[in-house]
C-alpha cells in the first residue's frame, strides 16, 4: 500500500474567502477548479503538488462549533522579525488571536476568518526547509498508537516516536511534517481540518481502503452520499479521506 497525503482539507462556509486568506497568508496561489477552492505554491494549477501539501477549502453550510479543532496548521518562520511581521500581516488579513490555554509560549496562536486555529511558530531549525507550512498537528491520546497506524497507512517515513509525539514526513524530505501530539485534555476529533490521502496511479483504491480497515480505520458517514472518495476515521476517531486514484 502506498497512499500518500496530498492536501490539507479545510471546511469553510465561504470557501472562496477562506481560500483567499490562506493564499495570501502563505504567499501561494488560488485556484477554483470546481466547487472547492485550492491553494498551492505554483502559479499553475498542479495537483497534487509533488513537493508539498496544498490546501483544499471545501464549502459547508455550518459554521465551526467546536471550541478547538483536533488538527491545525503551524506556520514556519526564520527569525524573530519574520515571526512578528507575519503575525502582523495575518492579523491585517483577518486572523484573530485566540486563547486555547496555551499560556506563555514563544509561538502565537491565531484563528483564520472561519475560526480555525493555527500557530505561527518561533524560528526552529527543524522547520527551516519546509516552506511556509511547518507541520500539520493532530491532538491525540496515544502518539505511539498513532505512529503505528499512520506509518502503515501512508508512504511517509516515521521520524520520531516518543511518549508525547509521533513525527512523520514525506520520504523525499520535502514539505511539512505530520505530528501527532499528546494532549492532556481530550479534544473530540473533528473533520473541520483533516488530511486527504491518494493512491498512486494504477494502485487499487478498494484494496488500500480494505487494508486501512484491517489496520483499525472505520467508515465515516458525513452525509457525503455517493462520491468517488472514501471517508474514514483512524483508530482514535480522526477523520481523513481516501481520494480516487
Amino acid at each position: 500500500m502506498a497512499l500518500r497525503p496530498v492536501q490539507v482539507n479545510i471546511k469553510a462556509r465561504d470557501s472562496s474567502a477562506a481560500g483567499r486568506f490562506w493564499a495570501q497568508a502563505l504567499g501561494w496561489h488560488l485556484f477554483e477548479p470546481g466547487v472547492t477552492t485550492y491553494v498551492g505554491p505554483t502559479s499553475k494549477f498542479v495537483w497534487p503538488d509533488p513537493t508539498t501539501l496544498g490546501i483544499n477549502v471545501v464549502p459547508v453550510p455550518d459554521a465551526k462549533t467546536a471550541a478547538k479543532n483536533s488538527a491545525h496548521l503551524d506556520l514556519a518562520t526564520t527569525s524573530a522579525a519574520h515571526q512578528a511581521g507575519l503575525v502582523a500581516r495575518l492579523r491585517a488579513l483577518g486572523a484573530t488571536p485566540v486563547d486555547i490555554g496555551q499560556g506563555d509560549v514563544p509561538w502565537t496562536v491565531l484563528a483564520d476568518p472561519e475560526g480555525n486555529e493555527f500557530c505561527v511558530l518561533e524560528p526552529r531549525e527543524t522547520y527551516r526547509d519546509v516552506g511556509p507550512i511547518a507541520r500539520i498537528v493532530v491532538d491525540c491520546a496515544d502518539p505511539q498508537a498513532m505512529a503505528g497506524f499512520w506509518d502503515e497507512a501512508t508512504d511517509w517515513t516515521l521520524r520520531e516516536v516518543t511518549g508525547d509525539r509521533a513525527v512523520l514526513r514525506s520520504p523525499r524530505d520535502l514539505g511539512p511534517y505530520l505530528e501527532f501530539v499528546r494532549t492532556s485534555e481530550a479534544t473530540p476529533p473533528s473533520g473541520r481540518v483533516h488530511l486527504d490521502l491518494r493512491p498512486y496511479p494504477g494502485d487499487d483504491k478498494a484494496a488500500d481502503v480494505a487494508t486501512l480497515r484491517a489496520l483499525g480505520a472505520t467508515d465515516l458517514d458525513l452525509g457525503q452520499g455517493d462520491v468517488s472518495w472514501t471517508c474514514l476515521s483512524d483508530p482514535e476517531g480522526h477523520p481523513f479521506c481516501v481520494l480516487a486514484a
Side-chain angles (χ1 to χ4, degrees):
M1 185 172 69
L3 290 169
R4 57 173 174 155
V6 292
Q7 63 191 18
V8 179
N9 187 303
I10 297 178
K11 301 293 193 298
R13 286 178 300 172
D14 189 338
S15 57
S16 293
R20 286 194 299 273
F21 170 84
W22 282 106
Q24 292 174 306
L26 303 174
W28 283 2
H29 300 269
L30 182 105
F31 309 92
E32 293 189 309
V35 297
T36 67
T37 300
Y38 184 77
V39 177
T42 62
S43 59
K44 294 182 178 180
F45 180 55
V46 178
W47 185 92
D49 190 272
T51 63
T52 190
L53 298 185
I55 293 177
N56 195 38
V57 187
V58 177
V60 293
D62 301 321
K64 175 178 177 283
T65 56
K68 179 177 180 290
N69 288 332
S70 57
H72 70 269
L73 300 181
D74 281 354
L75 307 188
T77 63
T78 56
S79 67
H82 181 200
Q83 182 186 16
L86 180 56
V87 168
R89 186 167 66 83
L90 292 167
R91 294 187 65 174
L93 290 172
T96 53
V98 292
D99 185 351
I100 54 173
Q102 67 267 23
D104 185 16
V105 293
W107 58 89
T108 301
V109 183
L110 301 171
D112 72 10
E114 292 274 338
N116 299 303
E117 305 87 3
F118 66 97
C119 298
V120 181
L121 300 180
E122 75 284 4
R124 301 185 190 183
E125 187 62 32
T126 301
Y127 306 126
R128 185 164 293 277
D129 67 340
V130 294
I133 301 175
R135 59 184 185 174
I136 302 97
V137 180
V138 183
D139 295 340
C140 70
D142 188 344
Q144 293 180 336
M146 290 295 93
F149 175 82
W150 285 91
D151 186 38
E152 293 288 338
T154 72
D155 68 345
W156 280 27
T157 303
L158 189 61
R159 299 302 181 86
E160 178 185 348
V161 183
T162 68
D164 292 324
R165 69 176 190 156
V167 181
L168 300 94
R169 196 185 190 194
S170 161
R172 299 175 62 192
D173 284 338
L174 296 172
Y177 290 78
L178 172 61
E179 302 192 17
F180 293 88
V181 178
R182 184 187 297 278
T183 56
S184 57
E185 297 181 2
T187 303
S190 65
R192 203 79 185 179
V193 178
H194 68 261
L195 282 178
D196 285 343
L197 313 181
R198 180 177 183 258
Y200 282 91
D203 286 354
D204 186 338
K205 173 177 174 283
D208 287 340
V209 170
T211 300
L212 291 169
R213 292 186 183 118
L215 291 171
T218 54
D219 292 292
L220 181 64
D221 186 355
L222 300 172
Q224 65 269 21
D226 184 15
V227 293
S228 60
W229 59 91
T230 302
C231 298
L232 299 169
S233 295
D234 72 14
E236 284 201 10
H238 304 107
F240 65 97
C241 295
V242 180
L243 307 179

